Amino acid sequence: MDTFHFVVWILSFCCLVQSDIVYKSLFHRMPKLRMTVFPIKTLNNLSVEACARSCVQESSFDCQSFDMDNKIQSCRLHNNTHESNDMALIVSKSTDHYRTYFEGLFHRLPNHLLTFDHKRQISEISVEQCARMCVLEVTFRCLGFDYEVKHKNCWLTDILPSASHGLIPQVNTDYYERQSSGPLEYFLNFGYGSLQQLEGEHIYHKTVMGVSLVACAHLCLAENSFKCTSFDYVFDDKSCYLSMYIAANVYGLVTTRTDDKNVAHYEYKDNYLRRFYPTPYSAVLGHNEKTVTGVTPSACARKCLEENNFICRSFDYQVKEGTCLLSTKTGSDVGGLISQGTSQVHHFEMKPNFDCSGHLKGSSGYLASPNWPRNYGHNLNCSWTIMVPKFKIIKVSFTHLQLFKESRKSCIQNSDRLLIVDKEQVSCLENNVREFISQSNIITILFITNSKGDAPGFRLQFKTDWACGGHYTDTYGEISSPGWPSGYPPTQNCTWKIEAPPTVRIYLTFVKVDLEEHIKRSCHHSSYDVIEISEDSANSSTFLCGRYDHLTYNSTGNILYIYFTSDSRVEKSGFHAFYTFVYNKLLSNNSNSTELYDSNFTYKLELLPTDIPESGNYSINEVSEESPVHYIDLHLQPTAETPIEKSNFTLQTERLPEIFRIEKDLHLVIVILAIAFSLVLAVLLGVIYLTCRHFRRLHLKECQQKGPLYLFNDDDSSIYDKDNVMNGEAEKSRDRDSESQPSLADVSFINPTYDGSSRQLLLPSCTSIPSAVNS
């Protein structure tokens, strides 16, 4: 390749990737191997990422691979690979060989052929070399290629399946499709075929005619009337068939009819499936470590990611049986994948992790060492920060943790180490550690490796939770039982200490309390699940158990202890509470009083954190309308019958300020007047009714004296009865018509593969609902 062509390729390649690309993701690592020839260029003191970037951006020659000496951090660039003629690799203790991995930029469809009208043909090259040729092609825009496996022929093309009316089944020929960055990147192409029809079920829920393949994918993503999980696209008439079913729900795809050759099936890839490289109609049969039946492909991917008994690197999925086969092997480990022809067994290989740093937020997430699920590289210095909401903690669960150990001792200087920094405390984790629980809402994970050896590394999952105890000194804070609101674990013994400055009191509010009920026993610390509130050793404790909504507690001092204990039997939701400091300026003049109101202040009926000045020069008289207002809940009442022993809780009917008492009396007067008015009105209506009834009886009596009174004669009565019977039959007929028409209730999600039997939900209704399903 000359310099001009390479510059053109660099420009086109920059359009392909983003500015924050991980360059080493374009290379495949071959550990402890190196080329036998001298390099074209040598660079010193570079990391693997910097060496990979130098190879990609090299313009003086065509860099196809590089050797990385981890001991001296030397980067050696080559203009060929071990697949070139007369080239080979030899064993090296401290050097890794990296070859280009352009094959990863394409989606492989085995036993498929795109077209017989190709733009360019290259013979006797590997798949990787063919993929590289397609990416580097500058005379036309290469969008994919067909590869003859037996003869090693590479056929480059500039057309897509939509331009060639679909894919053609062809044994021993694979089609490699350039991965898209638009709506199609969220879907997996299964090649020719369509969903099977189930008797009595509408497989397709919406049909759109005359749209492109990309537009069909966009319609499926944007659909909101049902959950679109797949679509079939007919290339001849550009028709799009959206469905809430996947192939596993209908026993696979139909691939035997000739009219299906112009139909392609696409399925949505969720967050789990997007972590894998899919290869349809292929497998690593005979190497599975674990088998799971009756699951979807997404559930199979999740089980592979969360497997902790072995390192799951790939899985095979059998569509018709819904069977998931987890494996520690990939295609490269067993000499290549086994083609399954038209048998619907698909292979999924886990994508390697390339992140060596990051800032993670959210309630949960995953993290792994670089190159996972393969061995990590040398001379790494990675750092990740995990942050969850304030007042919560982080629970880290390791599915795997295995680092290289030079001796029996671990966590020594200059060795491979995994460190977690939490509140300026550094913890070095040993191999096979399963869990780490933080003391704060922010932790930093450090991963440091040397140049001597490597190992699989680590993979973890983190999630946020409420702390089981802690020491709180902030003006405002929140506490909850662990697991809130999903439920606290059994045998918990948690202690929270809330410490305010001297002379400052603590206002505690329980928004919700849902503990095990104490049956025929008092609420104390030795029975069932209980909350104990204590201020010091001199005062007796206050106990909470059972179920309450909104309780408040006013401390008499500046220190408050909250104890939570659960037994091993029954677990409920738990409790959620918050506290705030109440400074002396907000208390009444009586220092011994625990009242939280004063006539000089304005209060509102909720509790929110505010910063109250602590300066000694601050006085009540200086409070203005623009001054901070302290929000205190004055109307919190218990809702359960379970007693509260030694109630220091503020039950506001006993401690309302005068203004609220006046309001309460006014409301009582209004209620009494309303009741009195209702009684007077009822009496008046009763009198009117009795008077009218009396005069009506007198009138009927006068009529009876003149002769009998018939409301209907015989003819009118028979016609009336007849009309009633006809009207009844008409209503029944409309009901039958309504039940015969299709409705949304008639369309149920049937999963015969997993449920074992068909289920259909029929909801009777007076009016029919028009079906949104197009057959």
Side-chain angles (χ1 to χ4, degrees):
M1 176 186 293
D2 56 24
T3 303
F4 171 76
H5 282 169
F6 194 83
V7 171
V8 174
W9 170 75
I10 286 294
L11 293 176
S12 62
F13 188 77
C14 290
C15 297
L16 174 67
V17 298
Q18 302 294 329
S19 60
D20 57 349
I21 183 176
V22 179
Y23 286 91
K24 63 182 178 183
S25 64
L26 301 175
F27 293 86
H28 176 70
R29 178 183 178 232
M30 307 177 72
K32 297 184 178 180
L33 295 171
R34 66 175 178 85
M35 293 281 287
T36 57
V37 297
F38 288 103
I40 303 298
K41 189 175 183 178
T42 300
L43 303 172
N44 295 319
N45 298 322
L46 291 183
S47 64
V48 176
E49 173 66 14
C51 187
R53 182 174 64 250
S54 300
C55 186
V56 170
Q57 297 177 349
E58 182 60 50
S59 58
S60 60
F61 64 93
D62 183 13
C63 182
Q64 298 185 28
S65 66
F66 64 88
D67 293 332
M68 186 67 193
D69 191 326
N70 301 292
K71 188 174 183 179
I72 61 176
Q73 291 187 288
S74 176
C75 172
R76 303 162 186 172
L77 308 182
H78 297 273
N79 64 348
N80 44 42
T81 68
H82 68 284
E83 296 177 334
S84 305
N85 295 331
D86 301 327
M87 297 296 169
L89 296 173
I90 61 174
V91 177
S92 176
K93 292 183 178 180
S94 62
T95 304
D96 296 334
H97 179 71
Y98 292 80
R99 68 166 177 86
T100 57
Y101 188 62
F102 289 96
E103 183 181 349
L105 300 175
F106 295 82
H107 170 59
R108 178 190 174 196
L109 270 170
N111 300 312
H112 283 74
L113 176 67
L114 176 63
T115 180
F116 293 101
D117 184 17
H118 298 93
K119 294 291 291 186
R120 184 181 177 188
Q121 187 263 336
I122 307 101
S123 301
E124 293 296 326
I125 63 173
S126 66
V127 173
E128 170 61 25
Q129 291 171 329
C130 185
R132 191 169 183 275
M133 289 288 185
C134 185
V135 173
L136 300 180
E137 183 59 52
V138 294
T139 59
F140 63 93
R141 185 184 181 188
C142 181
L143 299 177
F145 60 90
D146 294 322
Y147 186 79
E148 292 182 274
V149 179
K150 187 176 181 179
H151 302 287
K152 295 185 178 180
N153 288 329
C154 171
W155 304 83
L156 306 183
T157 181
D158 61 345
I159 62 176
L160 294 172
S162 57
S164 60
H165 302 283
L167 298 169
I168 305 170
Q170 183 73 23
V171 180
N172 293 326
T173 302
D174 299 339
Y175 169 61
Y176 287 81
E177 178 184 33
R178 191 73 167 266
Q179 292 185 5
S180 174
S181 59
L184 281 175
E185 70 174 313
Y186 295 96
F187 293 88
L188 172 59
N189 182 4
F190 283 92
Y192 73 94
S194 59
L195 292 173
Q196 294 199 65
Q197 297 293 324
L198 293 179
E199 185 177 356
E201 286 297 317
H202 296 282
I203 298 300
Y204 301 115
H205 298 76
K206 182 176 287 188
T207 302
V208 184
M209 309 298 293
V211 296
S212 65
L213 178 61
V214 175
C216 184
H218 183 76
L219 289 173
C220 187
L221 292 174
E223 183 60 47
N224 55 15
S225 61
F226 63 93
K227 186 178 180 180
C228 182
T229 58
S230 71
F231 66 87
D232 292 340
Y233 186 80
V234 181
F235 293 96
D236 284 343
D237 57 5
K238 296 183 178 181
S239 55
C240 174
Y241 297 84
L242 307 182
S243 177
M244 63 184 292
Y245 296 94
I246 60 176
N249 299 138
V250 295
Y251 304 104
L253 302 176
V254 178
T255 59
T256 56
R257 298 197 303 266
T258 57
D259 58 350
D260 285 329
K261 301 303 183 289
N262 294 323
V263 180
H265 179 69
Y266 291 80
E267 290 189 3
Y268 177 74
K269 298 185 296 184
D270 61 5
N271 291 332
Y272 297 110
L273 283 176
R274 282 200 287 270
R275 298 174 183 266
F276 292 82
Y277 291 118
T279 307
Y281 311 103
S282 301
V284 289
L285 296 180
H287 297 278
N288 60 298
E289 299 289 337
K290 186 177 182 179
T291 302
V292 184
T293 58
V295 295
T296 62
S298 175
C300 188
R302 181 174 182 176
K303 290 184 178 297
C304 183
L305 290 168
E306 296 178 351
E307 180 59 47
N308 55 15
N309 294 324
F310 57 90
I311 298 178
C312 180
R313 294 187 173 94
S314 68
F315 67 89
D316 294 333
Y317 185 79
Q318 297 177 353
V319 174
K320 292 187 178 181
E321 293 81 10
T323 303
C324 170
L325 306 173
L326 305 182
S327 177
T328 61
K329 306 293 183 182
T330 62
S332 59
D333 296 327
V334 297
L337 298 175
I338 301 175
S339 176
Q340 299 298 299
T342 58
S343 178
Q344 296 179 36
V345 178
H346 309 310
H347 179 72
F348 295 82
E349 180 178 333
M350 189 182 298
K351 295 180 179 179
N353 177 64
F354 294 108
D355 295 333
C356 190
S357 61
H359 191 82
L360 307 178
K361 293 183 179 180
S363 59
S364 62
Y366 293 91
L367 191 62
S369 54
N371 205 44
W372 179 269
R374 298 293 184 180
N375 288 10
Y376 54 80
H378 301 283
N379 301 312
L380 298 176
N381 191 358
C382 305
S383 174
W384 299 271
T385 299
I386 302 176
M387 177 184 295
V388 299
K390 193 176 180 181
F391 308 120
K392 291 191 174 184
I393 60 167
I394 304 170
K395 283 189 173 181
V396 179
S397 301
F398 289 90
T399 58
H400 300 278
L401 176 54
Q402 185 177 349
L403 306 182
F404 175 76
K405 295 175 63 175
E406 300 179 53
S407 62
R408 293 183 179 180
K409 295 182 179 180
S410 58
C411 293
I412 60 176
Q413 193 70 19
N414 299 325
S415 66
D416 296 348
R417 291 167 293 162
L418 181 64
L419 310 173
I420 297 183
V421 182
D422 178 23
K423 278 189 173 180
E424 299 181 354
Q425 296 181 355
V426 181
S427 301
C428 185
L429 303 185
E430 301 281 350
N431 283 348
N432 300 320
V433 169
R434 288 299 186 183
E435 188 178 57
F436 176 86
I437 300 177
S438 72
Q439 301 298 318
S440 65
N441 66 316
I442 302 176
I443 62 173
T444 300
I445 299 178
L446 303 175
F447 182 52
I448 304 170
T449 67
N450 57 26
S451 61
K452 296 181 180 180
D454 55 22
F458 69 89
R459 191 174 192 279
L460 62 86
Q461 178 184 8
F462 71 88
K463 63 179 182 179
T464 183
D465 198 0
W466 294 95
C468 181
H471 186 194
Y472 294 84
T473 58
D474 294 336
T475 303
Y476 168 81
E478 293 184 62
I479 61 173
S480 288
S481 55
W484 169 266
S486 301
Y488 51 84
T491 63
Q492 293 291 293
N493 191 1
C494 308
T495 301
W496 291 268
K497 179 182 179 182
I498 304 174
E499 185 175 3
T503 71
V504 176
R505 301 183 185 181
I506 302 168
Y507 186 83
L508 178 67
T509 300
F510 286 89
V511 179
K512 184 79 173 182
V513 176
D514 184 17
L515 305 182
E516 180 185 7
E517 296 285 350
H518 289 221
I519 303 174
K520 297 181 180 180
R521 289 190 184 183
S522 60
C523 186
H524 58 86
H525 65 277
S526 61
S527 61
Y528 301 103
D529 304 336
V530 66
I531 300 172
E532 179 184 355
I533 303 173
S534 176
E535 297 193 38
D536 52 52
S537 57
N539 293 342
S540 59
S541 298
T542 300
F543 296 91
L544 277 178
C545 51
R547 191 169 183 271
Y548 295 91
D549 289 329
H550 295 290
L551 291 174
T552 61
Y553 183 93
N554 307 317
S555 72
T556 58
N558 68 314
I559 297 179
L560 196 63
Y561 293 93
I562 302 173
Y563 306 97
F564 171 64
T565 305
S566 65
D567 57 22
S568 59
R569 292 186 295 271
V570 180
E571 290 81 40
K572 296 289 187 177
S573 300
F575 71 89
H576 179 59
F578 55 85
Y579 74 88
T580 187
F581 293 165
V582 181
Y583 294 86
N584 288 335
K585 300 177 182 63
L586 293 179
L587 301 175
S588 61
N589 294 330
N590 184 6
S591 59
N592 296 324
S593 174
T594 58
E595 307 291 347
L596 294 181
Y597 54 85
D598 189 278
S599 59
N600 294 327
F601 285 84
T602 302
Y603 294 87
K604 296 188 178 181
L605 302 182
E606 59 184 24
L607 181 61
L608 297 174
T610 55
D611 294 328
I612 306 299
E614 300 185 47
S615 172
N617 297 326
Y618 183 82
S619 64
I620 294 178
N621 297 329
E622 296 173 353
V623 176
S624 64
E625 295 182 355
E626 298 180 357
S627 300
V629 177
H630 193 68
Y631 295 86
I632 296 179
D633 191 337
L634 293 176
H635 296 283
L636 303 181
Q637 298 287 347
T639 60
E641 298 179 356
T642 307
I644 305 175
E645 296 190 0
K646 187 192 176 284
S647 179
N648 277 348
F649 288 86
T650 306
L651 302 183
Q652 307 305 334
T653 55
E654 302 174 1
R655 298 186 178 185
L656 285 174
E658 193 64 31
I659 182 172
F660 287 104
R661 292 177 182 173
I662 295 175
E663 266 189 51
K664 183 179 178 182
D665 295 340
L666 181 61
H667 291 167
L668 182 61
V669 171
I670 293 174
V671 171
I672 294 174
L673 291 177
I675 294 174
F677 177 76
S678 300
L679 291 176
V680 172
L681 183 61
V683 171
L684 181 61
L685 291 176
V687 171
I688 294 174
Y689 171 76
L690 293 176
T691 303
C692 293
R693 184 177 180 182
H694 174 71
F695 282 106
R696 182 173 180 274
R697 286 183 176 181
L698 290 177
H699 178 69
L700 290 175
K701 187 175 181 181
E702 293 177 358
C703 293
Q704 288 177 359
Q705 293 176 356
K706 297 179 181 179
L709 176 64
Y710 298 102
L711 296 179
F712 301 99
N713 56 29
D714 292 341
D715 293 338
D716 292 338
S717 179
S718 63
I719 294 174
Y720 176 79
D721 294 340
K722 182 178 180 181
D723 288 341
N724 280 340
V725 172
M726 293 179 63
N727 290 336
E729 290 296 325
E731 291 296 331
K732 294 179 181 178
S733 176
R734 282 195 294 267
D735 290 343
R736 286 195 297 269
D737 293 341
S738 299
E739 293 175 358
S740 64
Q741 294 179 3
S743 68
L744 289 179
D746 297 328
V747 183
S748 62
F749 187 86
I750 293 181
N751 196 330
T753 302
Y754 313 136
D755 296 344
S757 61
S758 297
R759 301 193 308 269
Q760 194 169 17
L761 178 64
L762 296 178
L763 299 176
S765 61
C766 297
T767 59
S768 62
I769 305 175
S771 175
V773 179
N774 297 323
S775 58

